[in-house]
Amino acid sequence: MPTRILPAVGDADAVRSVTTLLSQLPDAEPVAPVVDSTQLIDTLARLAAESVDELPEVVIVHERIGPVPALELIREVALRFPAVGVILVTSDASPGLFQAAMDYGARGLVALPLSYEELASRVQAVAQWSVGVRRHLGAGGDVFTGVGGTVVTVSGAKGGAGTTLTAIQLALAAQASGRSTALVDMDLQTGDIASYLDVQFRRSVVDLAAINDISPRVLADAVFRHDTGLALLLAPAEGERGEDVTDRAARQIVSALRSRYEVVVIDCGAQLGGAGAAAVEMADRALLVTTPDVVAVRGAKRAVRMWDRLQIRKAEETTVVVNRHSRATEIQPPLIQKITGTAVAATVVPANFKELQSVVDAGRIHELENKSSVKQALWGLAGELGLVKVADGGHKAGRGPVSFRRRRES
């Protein structure tokens, strides 16, 4: 049986070197290389959605892959696709890096410049390991093998745009439809999810920041099970502790949540830090909430441009949600779409704070009445985004399905 090998190499010269050697390996079936971390994860997710048997036995990750650092990428692949063996190709073959690569989930390390004998030996060993894992999975082993849950980030064009309300209602809609849902407060200094849901809980996202291997039990200890069924991972009560959640920690936390919940909704607030940036980059869908006024729309445009400059997310991969919409305002969704260069959700949220005031003041936003036009709009948005489980033959709420999944050019 041939060994399928997927190279993840961003450098053109390195691509030629790696593919040339791989083509010479006995019983090897090299797959067309991917050029960045996003394309690698998308490719593996697409294959895993068909069957675990469609995944390549070996993935080769070059040290200069981006935008996600090589070791962080290896960790995500190992967590989400445990039947795939990963080999790191690096110019640093020191014992320290070797140990770090193993800790992150790599099955082997090959030093640059590449040697045929060393590469062949590593590929063969890792392929045998991968075949063994798949045999175990086929026997019914309790190992997570899917592409993972859908991760949605909700960011604000400016403070007070309605980010937290949007995130909470999207999560409530997904949970109410029967999907296991986690709601994460990644607005680390000023997060208000606990206040909106009248929750007092001693653990927070910070408690996971220093843990290298977030097991299901560790994750369960950190989340709070709300009366609605939502799994809450809250921001720290002391805002200064939010600095402990680095971009690396955020990636681990998001990956762990994705592997355990069908839907993960993350409130990133209006200020972009390293943790929030990592979450937005990893998200299947990134929402940017704005109100239809000049200041907020300018803020949305600034955020979109900044995400693009930092290579976090392209404009066309971002979806703007218009909150407090009114037909009387001069700034309407088509104009916002033109200004920001993003997609704009078909579902708009009406301006009707009177419906919200009593439940917001009571910290019981989850008890918002079903007849509320704001709730109906936000739950319709959840349907538009595909977060709501629909019975066979049913239809999602909203004005029609819109695809916001990340796509990269091959």
Side-chain angles (χ1 to χ4, degrees), residues 205-271:
V205 65
V206 174
D207 293 291
L208 297 176
I211 299 175
N212 290 325
D213 184 13
I214 303 176
S215 66
R217 175 173 293 182
V218 169
L219 187 62
D221 287 342
V223 301
F224 175 80
R225 184 67 61 178
H226 192 258
D227 294 341
T228 58
L230 287 177
L232 304 180
L233 187 56
L234 302 171
E238 303 83 12
E240 65 274 12
R241 295 192 64 202
E243 296 180 357
D244 295 338
V245 185
T246 63
D247 56 343
R248 172 184 169 184
R251 291 184 189 282
Q252 296 180 68
I253 292 167
V254 173
S255 293
L257 289 164
R258 191 201 296 267
S259 71
R260 296 296 163 185
Y261 297 94
E262 294 178 82
V263 176
V264 181
V265 181
I266 305 175
D267 179 3
C268 293
Q271 298 295 323

Side-chain angles (χ1 to χ4, degrees), residues 54 71 286:
E54 296 299 318
L71 290 179

Side-chain angles (χ1 to χ4, degrees), residues 1-6 31 40-59 77 80-85 130 134 137 144-147:
M1 177 179 175
T3 300
R4 291 162 296 181
I5 308 169
L6 174 58
V31 182
L40 174 61
I41 295 299
D42 287 349
T43 299
L44 294 176
R46 185 181 68 253
L47 294 172
E50 298 176 15
S51 167
V52 66
D53 292 331
E54 296 299 318
L55 289 167
E57 285 78 19
V58 180
V59 167
V77 172
R80 293 179 59 182
F81 313 101
V84 175
S130 176
R134 292 170 200 225
L137 294 176
F144 177 76
T145 62
V147 301

